[in-house]
Amino acid sequence: MGSERCPEGPLFHGGANAVAHSPSHTIPIVYNPCRLQSKILFRLETVTMHRWSQLFIPTLREAPADAEVASHKLLVRAGYIRQLGAGIYSFLFMGNRSTQKIMGIVREEMDKIGQEFYLPTLHPRDLWEESGRWTVMGENMFRLKDRKGADLCLGMTHEEVMTDIARKELRSYKQLPQIWYQIQTKFRDEPRPKSGLLRVRQFIMKDAYSFDIDAAGLDVSYLKNHDAYCRIFDRCGLKYMVIDAHSGAMGGSKSQEFMVRTPAGEDLIVSCEKCNYAANMEKATSKLDRVENLKPEGDGQPLEVHTPGQKTIEDVARFLGVSTVHTIKTLAMMITAVEPERGKTRIPAKWEPGPVSRAVVLLMRGDHQMNEAKLSTAVAGKETRPMQEEEIRALFHSPAGYLGPLGIDWAKNMDEPGKPILLVDKALEGRANLIGGANKDEYHLKNLTSGKDFHPTAYVDLRSVTAGEACPSCGSPLRIDTAVEIGHIFKLGYKYSESMGARVLDRNGKEVAPIMGSYGIGIERILTAAVEQNNDENGFWLAPSIAPFDVVVVSTNSKDEAIRSASEDVARQLEASGYDVLLDDRDERPGVKFKDADLVGIPFRINVGNKVTEGTVEVVRRSTLQREEVKISVITEYFRGLRQ
RNA sequence: CGGGACGUAGCGCAGCCUGGUAGCGCACUUGCUUGGGGUGCAAGGGGUCGCGAGUUCAAAUCUCGCCGUCCCGACCA
């Protein structure tokens, strides 16, 4: 994992097969041939070739003002998409061709490991009540009522529907394993749609679900999906990474994300410069440099020092003339009793003693940042919030800025009820003579040693790594990048089969719940990520496998008969050889055509110009702008050569 | 949901402060011109100025309300 796949894989994957999908090829023939009569011939003559002059490819010189990220600007400028509302986009001819090709690749690879279904997007409420997610999904779920007043929702994901099929149909271990998938629209009412196609409210997802008799079976299904994903993204020409992901509140099962590095990304990923290590920020760890402890002062017992006005840990360290690595940062949090499964319940703003809330105090090294996802894991997915000053005073008899671990009766373990929990970050394990709060206004303590002066409920990893720290597996520097998630594979375990009552008989005749996995790919995100990865100020370029066309043939002068007919000839030859060809036959100046050709994502361009008198055209590779003169007579052989 | 900004022709923008005939560039139509990196000239078409109230003789412009979109944050199975 972690290593980026080379995008220069085989060219022209799927390009040829996609010809058959082209709508304009087939419509005039399929529809009512007897009524079209001689017009069919005319249509066939003019439409079988994709002529720019007759297509709708509305390119723009300028991007819409509200587009921020490169892919958004360029996909709109290239005439792929138009916005309908916040996070809602229409795909026009070019955009649709590209996503259809992506779906073709996904389908081919998924068919090798599973079976395609097509599930409804309109779901009855009851189904989601069973899994508990009618409430959990909160406002992210689009909800509606039918004419009888019954509640329905638009599917955000399809675990429930798939599990419903499984529980009704699967009876025996002999029917397992199963991998079922579909390519279908998902609806999610995002709080803030943004960045063009990167965060939208309606999108196409390939989602797959596996059912196995046991964990070993799940391992196999999971790996099959993992490998299929690699093939899919390789074929789409993406440079991507597979990273370990935070498995969230659902349990400790394995989960990996397929990520594409881009400044437009919303996720932070940590990866090693040298080895394969890669993880997302919520999961990443690092090796820390060894720190020499301070010498104990006095008799080595905790020692009060007056630190007037020094509230932040940086202030205190500076005031005492030590590095922040010798200090303890104390964070007081409140666990609310609300399970994340219960969803968006408002967390009480005020201190409510009793079983509703529970205090958790975190100790971090002074220069470290707390990672909320790691905290969430540490407290078993329960929601937390910072404690209020009054709460700290009421519970610990300490002013907020001077809280420290001494003199408080901490819980011995996570399950001990009532008492506050003390979680100490692993970076402080074994450290001695640290400086921390004294629970007293304007005083700190020296000589604090964890395990001696105070006893943590647990040592846990709570720290966010920072760039440049040492890789946990090889010690080389780590880097941090933003990235877009294009796929996610997940060992679900028994969550849905248990809650929804899917059961099969195992080979001993015993009733058991099948173990599940779920696997998602964002179709439009593949296109978006590809554009993010391959663009310049003039436009973008896609791999031939996912580009709307393999090649655009530019007739540089449509008034010149030799050039015009030569461009027709070149286009026809290539099309006959199975390439998707766009012939730019518009009566435009060459400059206009070149600009458009560079903009719209087609990987190759053929300029048909004055050299046709010598039987030669110019082939331009969009990614590098490399040019090569090629004899018309060998043009198909030339392109065939590029497949290698 | 908190903070900020914007809404005038398909796209990009000016006009608003200081109320009085709705403008510019690109795109579009027609004609000529040009023909290897968004050619030049000329003549045209296109706008309920986001919606609704209010103030005024008069509102794109001032006031209030609503709607929409974008950005930052919260959130993100």
Side-chain angles (χ1 to χ4, degrees):
Chain A
M1 37 172 216
S3 59
E4 288 188 337
R5 304 272 163 163
C6 175
E8 298 287 329
L11 292 170
F12 293 103
H13 269 309
N17 3 351
V19 170
H21 298 148
S22 169
S24 42
H25 279 275
T26 49
I27 285 169
I29 307 170
V30 170
Y31 270 82
N32 230 344
C34 50
R35 286 189 57 189
L36 291 169
Q37 292 177 6
S38 62
K39 281 191 175 174
I40 296 172
L41 294 174
F42 172 75
R43 292 277 293 171
L44 281 176
E45 266 309 295
T46 52
V47 172
T48 45
M49 175 74 67
H50 283 102
R51 293 166 191 282
W52 199 314
S53 64
Q54 292 169 33
L55 295 170
F56 184 62
I57 307 176
T59 58
L60 299 174
R61 280 194 199 211
E62 286 174 286
D66 42 20
E68 284 274 309
V69 303
S71 56
H72 187 197
K73 288 180 183 169
L74 290 171
L75 287 169
V76 172
R77 283 190 57 207
Y80 277 51
I81 58 168
R82 289 293 185 263
Q83 183 172 20
L84 184 61
I88 312 174
Y89 287 84
S90 303
F91 280 72
L92 313 185
F93 175 67
M94 292 288 270
N96 185 242
R97 273 185 80 89
S98 181
T99 50
Q100 291 295 335
K101 288 195 176 185
I102 292 168
M103 288 188 269
I105 292 173
V106 169
R107 204 165 259 133
E108 277 184 27
E109 295 300 336
M110 290 306 296
D111 281 344
K112 292 177 185 169
I113 65 164
Q115 305 144 71
E116 183 169 10
F117 285 21
Y118 182 73
L119 307 180
T121 206
L122 202 53
H123 301 178
R125 171 178 180 161
D126 291 359
L127 195 61
W128 287 79
E129 289 285 9
E130 287 190 64
S131 69
R133 296 208 290 184
W134 180 263
T135 315
V136 174
M137 292 308 190
E139 301 205 299
N140 270 11
M141 181 182 259
F142 281 104
R143 294 155 203 265
L144 58 157
K145 285 187 191 297
D146 67 14
R147 60 171 69 205
K148 291 180 290 190
D151 287 313
L152 299 164
C153 66
L154 299 180
M156 311 174 67
T157 173
H158 283 73
E159 279 84 4
E160 280 79 358
V161 181
M162 279 290 188
T163 309
D164 180 60
I165 295 168
R167 70 176 167 183
K168 286 174 177 162
E169 310 294 337
L170 296 178
R171 289 289 169 263
S172 161
Y173 74 95
K174 290 177 186 169
Q175 292 171 292
L176 301 182
Q178 290 291 331
I179 296 176
W180 298 339
Y181 82 96
Q182 64 163 346
I183 297 176
Q184 217 244 24
T185 305
K186 301 283 190 270
F187 294 88
R188 296 179 188 183
D189 195 359
E190 292 286 343
R192 183 144 99 80
K194 58 181 288 203
S195 307
L197 292 182
L198 282 179
R199 181 163 291 278
V200 290
R201 296 194 290 173
Q202 168 178 347
F203 59 97
I204 303 171
M205 179 186 268
K206 186 290 300 174
D207 48 321
Y209 306 85
S210 65
F211 299 87
D212 280 278
I213 191 67
D214 56 20
L218 174 58
D219 289 348
V220 174
S221 294
Y222 182 88
L223 192 61
K224 280 184 178 176
N225 277 280
H226 172 279
D227 293 352
Y229 277 33
C230 290
R231 291 195 298 270
I232 288 166
F233 298 133
D234 284 343
R235 287 182 61 182
C236 291
L238 287 171
K239 280 181 273 182
Y240 63 94
M241 309 171 72
V242 188
I243 69 168
D244 280 353
H246 178 59
S247 12
M250 293 223 222
S253 306
K254 190 174 177 66
S255 159
Q256 286 170 302
E257 291 170 334
F258 291 74
M259 307 293 288
V260 171
R261 278 191 187 124
T262 155
E266 299 184 281
D267 297 326
L268 286 176
I269 55 171
V270 178
S271 57
C272 177
E273 307 265 12
K274 288 257 169 60
C275 77
N276 279 343
Y277 179 79
N280 70 12
M281 201 59 181
E282 281 111 50
K283 185 109 184 191
T285 58
S286 66
K287 260 187 244 165
L288 291 174
D289 293 338
R290 207 178 177 74
V291 177
E292 212 49 53
N293 285 327
L294 292 175
K295 295 266 179 305
E297 291 188 30
D299 59 0
Q301 290 305 302
L303 180 67
E304 268 187 12
V305 282
H306 191 216
T307 51
Q310 312 299 316
K311 274 204 148 185
T312 71
I313 207 71
E314 288 80 14
D315 290 344
V316 174
R318 202 178 308 117
F319 183 79
L320 296 175
V322 299
S323 160
T324 49
V325 305
H326 300 297
T327 61
I328 297 174
K329 179 157 53 176
T330 307
L331 302 164
M333 309 293 291
M334 193 63 85
I335 294 182
T336 66
V338 182
E339 303 282 330
E341 273 77 9
R342 289 283 137 62
K344 305 282 174 191
T345 316
R346 292 260 168 244
I347 301 163
K350 290 286 174 190
W351 164 236
E352 291 175 20
V356 178
S357 310
R358 187 166 183 197
V360 189
V361 171
L362 316 175
L363 303 188
M364 311 280 308
R365 205 171 87 178
D367 58 327
H368 287 162
Q369 290 297 313
M370 189 264 287
N371 185 311
E372 298 207 11
K374 289 182 177 178
L375 170 62
S376 169
T377 305
V379 297
K382 295 191 175 56
E383 290 199 30
T384 56
R385 61 168 172 84
M387 284 176 79
Q388 318 256 325
E389 286 203 36
E390 315 85 77
E391 291 172 347
I392 295 173
R393 204 164 290 126
L395 203 58
F396 302 125
H397 313 290
S398 167
Y402 296 88
L403 185 61
L406 253 57
I408 297 166
D409 187 16
W410 302 109
K412 299 267 185 308
N413 58 63
M414 297 297 285
D415 300 324
E416 189 176 353
K419 292 181 182 173
I421 292 166
L422 179 66
L423 297 179
V424 177
D425 183 64
K426 286 194 165 161
L428 293 179
E429 196 168 6
R431 294 288 312 281
N433 306 321
L434 297 155
I435 294 163
N439 297 333
K440 183 172 168 188
D441 219 1
E442 308 209 318
Y443 281 89
H444 282 80
L445 292 173
K446 289 183 168 180
N447 296 344
L448 284 176
T449 299
S450 182
K452 176 166 82 74
D453 303 310
F454 56 91
H455 297 278
T457 307
Y459 289 103
V460 288
D461 177 23
L462 293 170
R463 173 176 66 91
S464 286
V465 310
T466 53
E469 286 174 2
C471 170
S473 68
C474 79
S476 305
L478 292 172
R479 56 183 283 185
I480 298 179
D481 299 276
T482 56
V484 172
E485 179 186 345
I486 52 173
H488 199 161
I489 55 178
F490 206 106
K491 290 186 183 174
L492 279 181
Y494 298 99
K495 180 182 167 73
Y496 296 92
S497 46
E498 291 280 4
S499 66
M500 297 183 62
R503 298 286 184 273
V504 296
L505 295 182
D506 69 11
R507 68 182 70 233
N508 303 316
K510 204 179 117 210
E511 197 170 67
V512 295
I515 186 165
M516 293 174 60
S518 80
Y519 317 90
I521 290 180
I523 299 295
E524 296 95 330
R525 276 192 177 181
I526 292 181
L527 172 61
T528 314
V531 175
E532 287 291 331
Q533 213 157 57
N534 301 309
N535 72 81
D536 57 29
E537 62 279 19
N538 291 319
F540 60 94
W541 52 96
L542 299 172
S545 56
I546 65 167
F549 293 96
D550 296 314
V551 56
V552 52
V553 176
V554 176
S555 163
T556 57
N557 185 344
S558 52
K559 293 247 164 45
D560 183 315
E561 181 52 29
I563 291 176
R564 195 199 61 76
S565 65
S567 58
E568 295 269 344
D569 179 41
V570 167
R572 206 167 286 285
Q573 277 192 51
L574 286 168
E575 190 152 86
S577 305
Y579 297 102
D580 280 350
V581 181
L582 176 60
L583 173 62
D584 191 351
D585 60 340
R586 294 175 298 169
D587 183 16
E588 288 286 353
R589 307 251 318 167
V592 174
K593 295 184 174 188
F594 295 155
K595 287 284 184 196
D596 273 344
D598 285 349
L599 175 61
V600 298
I602 300 174
F604 290 93
R605 180 171 102 218
I606 297 177
N607 292 334
V608 182
N610 291 326
K611 290 259 173 77
V612 293
T613 52
E614 304 161 25
T616 303
V617 292
E618 186 179 45
V619 177
V620 185
R621 190 185 280 250
R622 176 61 180 90
S623 56
T624 57
L625 298 176
Q626 224 167 30
R627 286 151 194 267
E628 199 169 344
E629 300 217 331
V630 179
K631 287 280 177 205
I632 296 175
S633 52
V634 300
I635 192 75
T636 54
E637 285 73 23
Y638 175 84
F639 272 92
R640 200 163 294 133
L642 291 177
R643 286 186 207 237
Q644 310 320 322

